[in-house]
């Protein structure tokens, strides 16, 4: 029996949202505006567009934090099924492997298990969005000049969470009845990064086409159910 979303995305899961917007701030108002648009039923392509008169860095900041919170929860739903044994390498199928690099422990790209990669990723993002020098919250304090570059790196790495979940753990999402929620989150994320060209096209390849030499009708149904073909303008020519 499918679980209700309230149970699926309960806050006692492994990962939790760690960042909130302070009421009364401009970013809090932008966040409320973005959430209202989502709930209004508007097309997601329209929802992600920069509202007239708003600052693009504020708009990107609000969405980066929101996507971090939501993707954090999504991965948390199957964290118990993503183990050192089941996922010894952070990968997206047989062709894509993601290595971790940072400025502290892993100065060179390191091959890690998926759960270790995810833990480092969430801690790294949390540190950035809580850093006043990167995500300033005080009125009148400007964003750093490299702000959008930082957000590109965050969003690129968050996209890899979708890749791993869809290819390696979507059966868990299906068993919990949460596929509609995850697919909507993915679409929202995808349209946002494409609207502002925040993630390199090459990073999107793992979810553009199934890794099959000659797809059958049955396999197409499976891949559609798993969300691989959500990117309408990137659907391979052999998809009818």
């Amino acid at each position: 029996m499918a679980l209700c979303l309230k149970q699926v995305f309960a806050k006692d899961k492994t990962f939790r949202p760690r960042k909130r917007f302070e009421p009364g701030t401009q970013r809090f108002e932008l966040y409320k505006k973005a959430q209202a648009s989502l709930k209004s039923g508007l097309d997601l392509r329209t929802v992600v567009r920069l509202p007239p008169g708003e600052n693009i860095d504020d708009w990107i900041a609000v969405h980066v934090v929101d996507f971090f919170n939501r993707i954090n929860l999504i991965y948390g739903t199957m964290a118990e099924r993503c183990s050192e044994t089941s996922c010894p390498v952070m990968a997206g199928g047989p062709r894509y492997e993601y290595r971790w690099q940072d400025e502290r422990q892993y100065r060179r790209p390191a091959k890690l298990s998926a759960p270790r990669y995810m833990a480092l990723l969430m801690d790294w993002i949390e540190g950035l969005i809580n850093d006043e020098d990167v995500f300033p919250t005080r009125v009148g304090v400007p964003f750093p000049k490299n702000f959008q570059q930082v957000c590109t790196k965050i969003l690129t790495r968050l996209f890899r969470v979708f890749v791993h979940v869809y290819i390696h753990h979507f059966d868990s999402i299906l068993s919990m009845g949460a596929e509609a929620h995850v697919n909507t989150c993915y679409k929202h994320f995808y349209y946002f990064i494409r609207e502002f060209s925040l993630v390199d096209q090459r990073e999107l390849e793992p979810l553009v086409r199934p890794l099959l030499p000659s797809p059958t009708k049955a396999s197409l149904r499976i891949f559609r159910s798993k969300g691989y073909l959500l990117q309408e303008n990137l659907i391979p020519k052999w998809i009818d």
Side-chain angles (χ1 to χ4, degrees):
M1 180 181 294
L3 302 177
C4 67
L5 286 181
K6 183 177 181 181
Q7 183 178 356
V8 171
F9 296 96
K11 293 186 178 181
D12 61 351
K13 294 295 182 180
T14 302
F15 293 112
R16 305 178 185 183
R18 300 171 179 172
K19 181 73 172 182
R20 291 289 184 268
F21 302 103
E22 291 295 327
T25 63
Q26 181 182 12
R27 247 165 260 158
F28 180 74
E29 296 304 316
L30 274 178
Y31 173 73
K32 288 200 303 182
K33 182 183 294 186
Q35 292 301 302
S37 296
L38 277 175
K39 294 175 182 177
S40 69
L42 291 174
D43 185 278
L44 289 173
R45 295 180 187 84
T46 302
V47 167
V48 300
R49 293 172 187 162
L50 180 68
E54 298 295 351
N55 178 275
I56 187 171
D57 285 341
D58 278 319
W59 189 241
I60 290 174
V62 165
H63 282 80
V64 167
V65 173
D66 186 44
F67 287 133
F68 166 67
N69 287 340
R70 293 162 67 189
I71 295 170
N72 208 0
L73 280 176
I74 287 172
Y75 180 70
T77 64
M78 82 286 299
E80 295 178 355
R81 306 185 191 191
C82 183
S83 66
E84 301 283 336
T85 302
S86 65
C87 303
V89 177
M90 175 57 181
R95 289 177 52 190
Y96 299 93
E97 179 179 307
Y98 301 119
R99 301 198 173 190
W100 181 259
Q101 184 176 19
D102 55 35
E103 297 178 354
R104 296 181 181 180
Q105 186 176 359
Y106 298 97
R107 294 183 178 273
R108 295 183 178 180
K111 185 175 183 177
L112 303 175
S113 67
R116 177 63 176 156
Y117 184 102
M118 297 293 187
L120 289 169
L121 173 60
M122 299 306 174
D123 286 344
W124 173 74
I125 297 175
E126 180 189 15
L128 286 173
I129 64 180
N130 286 322
D131 186 340
E132 283 288 327
D133 291 332
V134 182
F135 280 75
T137 58
R138 297 185 299 275
V139 177
V141 178
F143 287 94
K145 292 182 179 179
N146 68 336
F147 178 70
Q148 291 192 24
Q149 290 176 298
V150 172
C151 289
T152 286
K153 192 166 185 177
I154 291 173
L155 294 168
T156 296
R157 286 179 164 181
L158 282 176
F159 183 80
R160 295 170 183 176
V161 179
F162 278 118
V163 174
H164 187 74
V165 168
Y166 271 123
I167 295 178
H168 297 274
H169 298 292
F170 204 69
D171 56 338
S172 298
I173 295 296
L174 288 172
S175 68
M176 292 183 285
E179 65 272 19
H181 179 93
V182 176
N183 284 345
T184 298
C185 183
Y186 171 70
K187 286 183 183 180
H188 185 199
F189 182 93
Y190 172 75
Y191 289 133
F192 182 80
I193 62 176
R194 298 306 295 160
E195 175 73 15
F196 300 102
S197 301
L198 291 168
V199 174
D200 190 281
Q201 181 70 34
R202 291 171 296 181
E203 284 284 340
L204 306 180
E205 290 180 0
L207 296 185
V208 169
R209 65 174 69 235
L211 302 178
L212 291 178
S214 181
T216 64
K217 288 184 178 180
S219 64
L220 291 182
R221 284 196 299 272
I222 293 172
F223 278 106
R224 283 195 175 99
S225 73
K226 287 178 177 278
Y228 289 103
L229 308 180
L230 293 173
Q231 304 174 29
E232 290 101 336
N233 60 327
L234 295 176
I235 293 175
K237 291 181 180 178
W238 45 258
I239 300 296
D240 52 24

